[in-house]
Amino acid sequence: MSRTGKVISWIVGIFLLLVVALVVIIATFNWNRLKPTINQKVSAELNRPFAIRGDLGVAWERNRDEPGWRSWVPWPHLHAEDIMLGNPPDIPEVTMVHLQRADAMLAPLALLHKEIFIPWIKLQQPDARLIQTADKKNNWTFNLANSDEKDPAAAPSAWSFRLDNILFDQGKIRYRDAINKADVTVMVNPLGKPVPYTQVAGGDDKQKGAGDFIFGWKASGTYNNEQLDGDGKIGGMLSLRSEKTPFPVQADVRNGTTRVQVAGGLQDPLNMGGLDVRLRFSGDTLANLYGLTGVLLPDTPPYETDGHLIARFNDKKGQVYRYENFNGHIGDSDIHGSLTYTQGKPRPKLSGELTSRQLRMADLGPLIGVDSGKGSEKTAQAKANRGDKSTQPADKVLPYDKFNTQSWDVMDADVKFSGKRIEHSNSLPLSDLYTHLQLENGELQLDPLRFGIAGGNLNSTIRLEGDHTPMRGRADIHARKLRLRQLFPNVKEMQSSLGQINGDATLSGNGNSVADLLATSNGQLKLLMNDGVISRSLMEIAGLNVGNYVVGKLFGDDQVRINCAATDLNIRQGVATPRLFVFDTENAVINITGNTNFASERLDLSINPESKGVRIVTLRSPLYVRGTFKNPDAGVKAGPLLARGAAAVALGTVLTPAAALLALISPSDNEDNQCSNVLQQMKKQN
């Protein structure tokens, strides 16, 4: 052999010897000697304790699935036992994540083109504990060492990372949150074999491309101080990595009396692209959804909805959730529509349109501070736990339930609502409700709020300023062409009447209930009624015992036709005083004076009749109505006698109210209106 050949042989031999020596060293190396260094480096990088407390080792195995000569290249199989990741210093507990054992396979040839490729990781008994304290500090936000020193303009790393699959026998996640008053434990288990999406979630055309379900989970604990239980299924790692294949999710969760069911897919999950699921809600009141969703909704009777939820997490305006084409019911009312919730600045916003074909008026009661009476015992108990006790005094009539304005500033709203038929009572059907609700920075406005009633319509604007303490309120209300025969369908004599009621009211006040608003109200009320009938039987049907007494004293048991009833009330600090309150009947003119106090709910009225022609009204003294709204009292005033002509003289002094009330009679109304004649005569008497 030549000298050159010998040199080459020696070099090759030495190289092979070094390779063998290196393989022997790697194969026999005690990797546990590296644990202190690994623990220290990872702890420093994560700014929290990390430790491999058990055995650390590497075994070399061929990957026979590789093609050709690659199948002879040994792959390192790494394992570590008893792994612990701790919490940041702000969290009192020590451990955040614990693994009994972790195994992983690393592809060595991928390192040659700067890729860290791990085909799979197997975890044994993973146990994670997610914690949020009352001061909003949590353990799932990582503050990496030197992260502030990194140059955002620096070029990205040439290395890439790829993980194909995560396997584990059973996982446990415990979530404790002092802010949301939550303590929930979730157990995650592999299903054994993949379950097709359609087998679990049904044939949703939009989700036919979703991946298979790989894991099942069960949850139990408490959320917002209510019992929480749930179960469901999720996909595997392959779906999680895919930008095109939706990651399948399915859940059925109960929290107190609220139930949420979800089935659908998460788009581009690693980049939080969006959510596309079928969503069902049900429960005792929509208000309970605030703790789960952050969406402020009114306190309602029991409800159920079923619709399609589409979420966009990377929208420039903020995260956007659209609950579209849903159907359901609230109490005995059906509800349909689409709503969009945008988590923008300065506040989140709820917008959309809702419709109802059959709306029960009592189901809207909570919106105006009136209890609908449809809540369950559990809802009542939940209100009691929150401190939402009934504030209605036993001796009061006006609603004292409070508006919960403290939460009005957590979000804005712009929602339009239409109701075709409104169920108020069997004898008084309402129809065609429409309102445009706007909530901005704690101020609620219904403009317009209108509906059809008794052949006419009621059109109003309501403004409630919840950003003030106490709340400020204003109402502008206009009633037109309310037909008497439809207002009183059970009164036979009224069915031949062509009369109408027209009126205007403007009120403003301060307070957090209907009673408080009226008790401090300022404004005026104008009302006209023409061509009606009054009788004791009508008062009995209306449940007005005092009216029954007054009508009996004035007219006996006869039915009396009303040519015109007109009132112009001036309201100051909750006290309504009539500038004009008169009934013009076929037998007499009846003038009412005095006042009504909404703060004390007391009446102090005098009723002065003046007969027309032959004296049919034989009463010689005025009548009075006194007492409270709940227990009024009526009688004959002792002492004073009726002054003949006094009522007529009084009517001659009311030019301004008479002229103002004439404006309530539509000039386009072709039907005879008795009030027009009466008010014109009153003007001439001045």
Side-chain angles (χ1 to χ4, degrees):
M1 180 180 294
S2 65
R3 181 181 179 84
T4 302
K6 290 181 179 181
V7 172
I8 294 174
S9 298
W10 275 101
I11 292 174
V12 172
I14 292 172
F15 177 75
L16 292 175
L17 183 61
L18 290 175
V19 171
V20 172
L22 181 62
V23 171
V24 172
I25 291 172
I26 292 175
T28 60
F29 181 74
N30 183 4
W31 294 91
N32 288 300
R33 296 172 63 181
L34 296 179
K35 287 195 302 183
T37 302
I38 295 173
N39 293 344
Q40 188 273 328
K41 292 288 186 182
V42 176
S43 297
E45 181 65 26
L46 298 181
N47 274 326
R48 60 179 69 190
F50 174 84
I52 300 174
R53 300 183 294 194
D55 183 51
L56 173 65
V58 178
W60 294 85
E61 301 176 0
R62 291 171 55 194
N63 186 352
R64 301 181 185 277
D65 293 333
E66 287 288 292
W69 61 270
R70 294 173 179 269
S71 64
W72 291 93
V73 177
W75 288 32
H77 177 175
L78 298 85
H79 73 269
E81 297 178 349
D82 195 7
I83 306 169
M84 185 276 294
L85 175 64
N87 283 310
D90 298 329
I91 304 297
E93 294 194 13
V94 176
T95 303
M96 177 185 176
V97 177
H98 179 262
L99 296 172
Q100 183 175 317
R101 178 183 171 101
D103 292 81
M105 184 74 82
L106 177 65
L109 296 179
L111 300 174
L112 298 178
H113 45 85
K114 297 183 178 181
E115 180 185 31
I116 301 175
F117 173 37
I118 301 175
W120 51 261
I121 290 179
K122 295 179 181 178
L123 308 177
Q124 289 187 13
Q125 301 295 316
D127 186 347
R129 303 169 191 178
L130 306 179
I131 299 173
Q132 179 165 250
T133 62
D135 54 359
K136 297 186 178 181
K137 295 177 180 178
N138 64 68
N139 65 348
W140 57 80
T141 300
F142 286 82
N143 181 21
L144 301 180
N146 303 320
S147 59
D148 295 335
E149 300 175 5
K150 294 180 180 180
D151 183 4
S157 173
W159 287 82
S160 62
F161 177 79
R162 175 182 168 189
L163 172 63
D164 272 4
N165 207 358
I166 297 178
L167 308 170
F168 56 86
D169 48 1
Q170 184 182 70
K172 178 181 178 181
I173 303 171
R174 186 177 181 187
Y175 169 66
R176 286 185 292 160
D177 189 335
I179 296 175
N180 294 309
K181 301 174 184 176
D183 188 349
V184 180
T185 299
V186 181
M187 304 299 297
V188 184
N189 292 280
L191 296 175
K193 64 178 181 179
V195 178
Y197 173 85
T198 54
Q199 183 175 324
V200 175
D204 189 341
D205 291 338
K206 295 186 177 183
Q207 300 297 339
K208 280 187 176 179
D212 295 334
F213 290 104
I214 303 299
F215 299 102
W217 59 269
K218 287 184 178 294
S220 63
T222 58
Y223 188 92
N224 198 24
N225 289 334
E226 294 276 0
Q227 179 65 33
L228 183 144
D229 295 286
D231 58 69
K233 298 176 180 62
I234 57 175
M237 194 67 190
L238 292 177
S239 297
L240 194 62
R241 290 194 306 109
S242 175
E243 296 181 7
K244 297 181 179 179
T245 302
F247 180 76
V249 293
Q250 182 265 329
D252 187 348
V253 179
R254 293 174 175 84
N255 180 214
T257 61
T258 301
R259 183 180 183 182
V260 181
Q261 297 170 277
V262 174
L266 183 63
Q267 309 290 331
D268 192 9
L270 292 183
N271 296 314
M272 295 299 288
L275 188 67
D276 192 336
V277 298
R278 182 179 181 184
L279 177 62
R280 297 178 181 176
F281 284 118
S282 61
D284 275 356
T285 171
L286 284 169
N288 288 344
L289 289 176
Y290 179 67
L292 288 172
T293 65
V295 181
L296 179 65
L297 295 169
D299 200 354
T300 67
Y303 69 94
E304 182 175 2
T305 70
D306 183 355
H308 190 204
L309 176 67
I310 299 175
R312 300 192 305 272
F313 301 126
N314 298 319
D315 195 281
K316 293 180 180 179
K317 298 180 181 179
Q319 296 183 10
V320 178
Y321 301 84
R322 180 169 175 79
Y323 192 36
E324 64 179 22
N325 300 326
F326 65 82
N327 299 288
H329 66 83
I330 299 175
D332 295 327
S333 306
D334 66 286
I335 190 77
H336 318 273
S338 296
L339 293 171
T340 300
Y341 181 73
T342 305
Q343 289 186 331
K345 298 294 183 180
R347 290 168 298 279
K349 184 174 183 177
L350 180 70
S351 58
E353 295 190 12
L354 303 174
T355 62
S356 176
R357 291 186 290 267
Q358 174 92 2
L359 180 66
R360 182 176 178 269
M361 201 65 174
D363 297 331
L364 292 179
L367 294 176
I368 57 173
V370 180
D371 191 350
S372 69
K374 292 290 289 183
S376 68
E377 294 181 3
K378 292 182 179 179
T379 301
Q381 184 60 47
K383 290 182 180 180
N385 293 339
R386 297 197 307 260
D388 299 343
K389 298 179 180 179
S390 175
T391 54
Q392 184 69 30
D395 60 339
K396 300 295 184 181
V397 173
L398 299 177
Y400 275 74
D401 287 347
K402 302 294 183 181
F403 291 91
N404 184 21
T405 60
Q406 294 89 344
S407 301
W408 285 12
D409 60 351
V410 302
M411 76 172 211
D412 294 340
D414 188 341
V415 178
K416 298 176 181 178
F417 178 81
S418 302
K420 185 62 178 175
R421 185 181 185 278
I422 307 167
E423 179 189 330
H424 176 60
S425 69
N426 293 331
S427 60
L428 186 60
L430 308 178
S431 63
D432 298 323
L433 170 68
Y434 175 81
T435 187
H436 184 186
L437 181 150
Q438 293 175 290
L439 176 64
E440 185 173 359
N441 197 23
E443 183 175 302
L444 176 67
Q445 180 172 285
L446 301 175
D447 184 18
L449 171 59
R450 64 173 181 254
F451 52 85
I453 174 173
N457 64 81
L458 196 69
N459 199 332
S460 59
T461 298
I462 310 294
R463 182 187 297 272
L464 301 175
E465 299 177 24
D467 54 337
H468 289 80
T469 303
M471 180 181 72
R472 297 177 184 174
R474 178 180 175 86
D476 293 297
I477 305 171
H478 308 279
R480 291 293 183 271
K481 297 186 178 181
L482 277 59
R483 298 186 177 276
L484 293 176
R485 61 186 177 189
Q486 291 179 246
L487 277 174
F488 303 99
N490 295 328
V491 180
K492 181 179 179 181
E493 294 76 14
M494 201 72 82
Q495 298 311 296
S496 61
S497 170
L498 299 177
Q500 299 177 355
I501 290 181
N502 294 280
D504 289 332
T506 300
L507 296 173
S508 61
N510 301 318
N512 284 73
S513 69
V514 172
D516 291 340
L517 287 169
L518 289 174
T520 60
S521 61
N522 295 291
Q524 58 184 357
L525 169 65
K526 299 175 183 179
L527 197 68
L528 279 183
M529 182 185 79
N530 70 288
D531 193 19
V533 173
I534 189 169
S535 66
R536 293 187 65 178
S537 62
L538 176 59
M539 295 296 101
E540 290 174 359
I541 291 173
L544 301 176
N545 294 329
V546 170
N548 189 358
Y549 170 84
V550 172
V551 172
K553 284 292 184 182
L554 293 176
F555 307 115
D557 294 326
D558 295 334
Q559 295 171 350
V560 180
R561 182 167 297 278
I562 299 175
N563 299 321
C564 177
T567 182
D568 186 343
L569 299 180
N570 184 49
I571 304 172
R572 289 291 177 268
Q573 291 300 309
V575 178
T577 305
R579 292 190 292 176
L580 172 67
F581 197 167
V582 61
F583 287 81
D584 182 81
T585 74
E586 59 186 350
N587 299 325
V589 176
I590 302 166
N591 193 41
I592 300 176
T593 58
N595 62 71
T596 299
N597 192 316
F598 291 108
S600 60
E601 295 196 14
R602 297 192 68 86
L603 300 162
D604 187 3
L605 301 175
S606 294
I607 301 170
N608 301 280
E610 170 65 20
S611 295
K612 292 180 177 180
V614 179
R615 188 173 183 84
I616 298 177
V617 179
T618 58
L619 190 66
R620 297 180 58 82
S621 296
L623 300 178
Y624 67 81
V625 176
R626 299 170 186 158
T628 66
F629 291 2
K630 189 152 191 172
N631 296 298
D633 179 40
V636 180
K637 284 189 176 183
L641 298 177
L642 285 171
R644 186 170 182 83
V649 172
L651 296 181
T653 64
V654 290
L655 171 63
T656 301
L661 287 168
L662 274 169
L664 295 178
I665 302 174
S666 173
S668 62
D669 193 347
N670 294 324
E671 299 171 352
D672 264 349
N673 192 310
Q674 294 289 340
C675 280
S676 178
N677 299 328
V678 172
L679 293 175
Q680 291 288 358
Q681 291 174 10
M682 290 166 58
K683 287 179 63 178
K684 292 177 181 178
Q685 291 177 18
N686 186 56

